[in-house]
């Protein structure tokens, strides 16, 4: 048996191009019973088409095996962290992406309640007119004194109302047009602040209900920011005087922004410092310039009517005479907004389709009836 040579043969087939090619084959012994060697019969003559398709079918089978192997690999759980640390593979992209509402921390009922309650509310307060009482007459007197020192004509009343809430540099260069030189503008702005502080005398008094309202917000752990067009040095000294320096998480002073109200820059920067989206911030002010700036920043605004009449501040989202009239429920209702996270809050305009009336007008029908 070991010395027995296998059978040989030759068959000619046609390839894809139609040319005949001889193919040699070799048939091995299949059985050995006793002293007889049983050899499988010769291969039948194969058709050329069948041989041509053998390669295509083999490739298809191999691809099918690879697909099934890939699916089985997907089904089997893998420890991606170990493989990534070993440098073998990279974690594949998952779809759909992880939902923000599926964070493990939100499984804690307390954290979830805080996030859906007061945890998404931030308050931005103006300094003068909201936290402490301001005297508009002192502001006007400071500007008139500066104009007299600089040899300028007295400032009209309508212009004084226009520069209310602006930075000193902005009012001097853009509204009063006293100078365009940065050094001169800075000098006059500093001098005006000195005049105002001397007239004010360093005495600060809380607005009615402002201290109590700040304590309530601190009790509910609501982040608060303070904005003002006063210099930071003056603002921090005043906060230490009345003892509220620990109440505010962020302070935006004149040095932090380029423009004052009605530009929303102060409020947007305060929201950035608090790490809150603008739609979740509530601004507390006492003028229409504040309302305009807050709405421009896509924030809600609560107006305190202490130097204006209530109907004059009707553009605000809520108008109160003093801050302690508000409750946490009022703030939650204001913060119940339609932000980009939950869908746009602007109503989708619907096109009104006029129904076409196939019947003729009544006047035409009456006229036709006359002739009949």
């Amino acid at each position: 048996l070991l010395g027995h040579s296998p059978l040989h043969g030759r068959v000619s087939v046609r390839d894809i191009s139609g040319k005949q090619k001889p193919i040699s084959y070799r048939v091995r012994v299949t059985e050995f019973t006793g002293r007889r060697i049983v050899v499988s019969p010769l291969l039948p003559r194969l058709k050329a088409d069948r041989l041509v398709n053998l390669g295509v079918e083999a490739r298809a089978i191999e691809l099918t095996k690879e697909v099934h192997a890939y699916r089985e690999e997907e089904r089997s759980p893998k420890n991606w962290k170990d493989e990534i640390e070993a440098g073998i593979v990279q974690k594949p992209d998952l779809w759909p992406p992880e939902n923000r509402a599926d964070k493990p921390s939100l499984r804690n009922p307390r954290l979830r309640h805080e996030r859906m309650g007061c945890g998404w509310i931030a308050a931005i307060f103006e300094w003068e007119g909201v936290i402490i009482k301001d005297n508009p007459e002192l502001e006007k007197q400071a500007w008139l004194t500066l104009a007299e020192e600089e040899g300028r004509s007295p400032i009209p009343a309508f212009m004084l109302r226009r520069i209310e809430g602006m930075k000193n540099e902005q009012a001097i260069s853009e509204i009063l047009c006293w100078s365009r030189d940065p050094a001169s503008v800075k000098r006059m702005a500093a001098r005006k602040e000195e005049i105002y502080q001397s007239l004010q005398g360093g005495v600060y008094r809380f607005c009615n209900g402002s201290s109590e309202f700040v304590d309530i917000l601190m009790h509910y752990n609501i982040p608060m920011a303070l904005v003002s067009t006063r210099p930071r040095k003056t603002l921090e000294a005043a906060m230490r005087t009345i003892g509220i320096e620990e109440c505010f998480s962020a302070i935006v002073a004149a040095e932090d922004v380029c423009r004052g109200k009605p530009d929303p820059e102060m409020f947007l920067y305060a929201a950035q410092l608090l790490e809150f989206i603008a739609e979740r911030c509530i601004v507390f002010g006492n003028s229409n310039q504040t309302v305009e700036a807050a709405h421009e920043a896509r924030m809600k605004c609560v107006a305190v009517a202490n130097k204006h009449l209530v109907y004059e501040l009707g553009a605000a989202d809520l108008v109160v005479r003093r801050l302690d009239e508000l409750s946490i429920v009022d703030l939650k209702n204001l913060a119940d907004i339609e932000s980009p996270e939950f869908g746009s809050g602007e109503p989708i305009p619907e096109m009104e389709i006029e129904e076409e009336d196939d019947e003729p007008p009544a006047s035409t029908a009456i006229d036709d009836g006359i002739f009949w």
Side-chain angles (χ1 to χ4, degrees), residues 12 21 36 41 63 66 132 146 161 171 179 199 206 212 232 275 305 311 355 361-362 364:
S12 61
K21 291 185 179 180
R36 292 185 60 192
L63 291 176
E66 291 181 4
I132 64 167
L146 179 64
R161 289 192 297 267
S179 177
L199 293 175
F206 282 106
E212 295 79 1
R232 179 176 292 273
E275 298 181 356
Y311 71 88
E355 297 182 359
T364 308

Side-chain angles (χ1 to χ4, degrees), residues 249-353:
S249 305
I251 299 175
V252 178
E255 296 87 346
D256 300 322
V257 295
C258 298
R259 303 175 64 84
K261 298 179 298 183
D263 194 282
E265 183 180 359
M266 292 191 303
F267 302 128
L268 291 174
Y269 185 54
Q272 183 179 355
L273 294 178
L274 294 176
E275 298 181 356
F276 272 75
I277 60 174
E279 290 84 354
R280 285 287 179 181
C281 296
I282 303 175
V283 177
F284 297 86
N286 68 336
S287 63
N288 285 316
Q289 289 87 346
T290 304
V291 177
E292 181 181 353
H295 288 173
E296 184 69 21
R298 295 178 291 116
M299 300 178 181
K300 298 297 178 66
C301 182
V302 176
V304 182
N306 51 19
K307 68 175 183 180
H308 293 278
L309 298 176
V310 175
Y311 71 88
E312 293 179 352
L313 302 173
D317 299 282
L318 191 61
V319 182
V320 295
R321 296 187 181 276
R322 43 189 296 164
L323 286 177
D324 57 356
E325 297 178 4
L326 297 170
S327 65
I328 297 299
V329 177
D330 297 328
L331 301 185
K332 286 184 178 181
N333 291 335
L334 287 177
D336 186 16
I337 46 86
E338 305 81 6
S339 67
E341 295 182 0
F342 312 104
S344 177
E346 299 181 359
I348 301 176
E350 297 182 358
M351 182 179 296
E352 183 178 357
I353 302 176

Side-chain angles (χ1 to χ4, degrees), residues 55-352:
V56 178
E57 292 180 359
R59 291 178 60 85
I61 293 173
E62 292 297 329
L63 291 176
T64 306
K65 290 181 180 180
E66 291 181 4
V67 171
H68 286 289
Y70 178 75
R71 290 178 179 176
E72 293 295 333
E73 185 178 356
E74 280 186 340
R75 293 174 185 172
S76 60
K78 285 188 176 183
N79 192 352
W80 293 103
K81 294 183 179 180
D82 297 341
E83 294 184 357
I84 292 174
E85 293 176 358
I88 301 175
V89 294
Q90 294 183 354
K91 184 177 180 181
D93 296 333
L94 300 179
W95 186 262
E98 297 180 359
N99 190 357
R100 295 181 58 185
D102 295 334
K103 290 184 178 180
S105 61
L106 295 183
R107 296 174 185 174
N108 187 328
R110 183 178 178 181
L111 294 177
R112 184 169 64 252
H113 182 269
E114 178 185 358
R115 182 167 184 176
M116 299 307 296
C118 299
W120 277 10
I121 303 176
I124 302 176
F125 290 89
E126 284 190 326
W127 171 243
E128 294 177 329
V130 178
I131 299 297
I132 64 167
K133 293 183 178 180
D134 64 336
N135 192 346
E137 295 299 326
L138 295 182
E139 189 76 15
K140 296 178 182 179
Q141 186 63 34
W143 281 112
L144 294 175
T145 304
L146 179 64
E148 185 178 357
E149 290 182 358
E150 296 293 328
R152 308 285 179 173
S153 58
I155 305 175
F158 76 91
M159 196 169 290
L160 289 174
R161 289 192 297 267
R162 185 178 177 185
I163 64 179
E164 182 180 353
M166 291 186 178
K167 286 185 61 176
N168 295 335
E169 293 85 353
Q170 181 183 357
I172 292 172
S173 61
E174 297 182 9
I175 306 301
L176 301 178
C177 299
W178 285 354
S179 177
R180 296 288 184 178
D181 181 48
S184 300
V185 172
K186 186 176 181 179
R187 177 187 60 80
M188 287 187 285
R191 177 55 185 162
K192 183 263 175 184
E193 193 63 31
E194 292 177 3
I195 296 173
Y196 176 81
Q197 293 300 328
S198 62
L199 293 175
Q200 199 268 340
V203 179
Y204 303 96
R205 293 180 298 173
F206 282 106
C207 292
N208 296 332
S210 61
S211 178
E212 295 79 1
F213 186 69
V214 169
D215 293 338
I216 293 175
L217 297 189
M218 290 186 63
H219 174 73
Y220 285 94
N221 297 323
I222 297 179
M224 293 179 287
L226 188 66
V227 299
S228 176
T229 54
R230 301 295 175 191
R232 179 176 292 273
K233 183 178 179 180
T234 303
L235 190 59
E236 291 179 350
M239 294 175 64
R240 287 192 299 267
T241 302
I242 60 178
I244 61 171
E245 65 274 10
E246 301 295 334
C247 299
F248 296 93
S249 305
I251 299 175
V252 178
E255 296 87 346
D256 300 322
V257 295
C258 298
R259 303 175 64 84
K261 298 179 298 183
D263 194 282
E265 183 180 359
M266 292 191 303
F267 302 128
L268 291 174
Y269 185 54
Q272 183 179 355
L273 294 178
L274 294 176
E275 298 181 356
F276 272 75
I277 60 174
E279 290 84 354
R280 285 287 179 181
C281 296
I282 303 175
V283 177
F284 297 86
N286 68 336
S287 63
N288 285 316
Q289 289 87 346
T290 304
V291 177
E292 181 181 353
H295 288 173
E296 184 69 21
R298 295 178 291 116
M299 300 178 181
K300 298 297 178 66
C301 182
V302 176
V304 182
N306 51 19
K307 68 175 183 180
H308 293 278
L309 298 176
V310 175
Y311 71 88
E312 293 179 352
L313 302 173
D317 299 282
L318 191 61
V319 182
V320 295
R321 296 187 181 276
R322 43 189 296 164
L323 286 177
D324 57 356
E325 297 178 4
L326 297 170
S327 65
I328 297 299
V329 177
D330 297 328
L331 301 185
K332 286 184 178 181
N333 291 335
L334 287 177
D336 186 16
I337 46 86
E338 305 81 6
S339 67
E341 295 182 0
F342 312 104
S344 177
E346 299 181 359
I348 301 176
E350 297 182 358
M351 182 179 296
E352 183 178 357

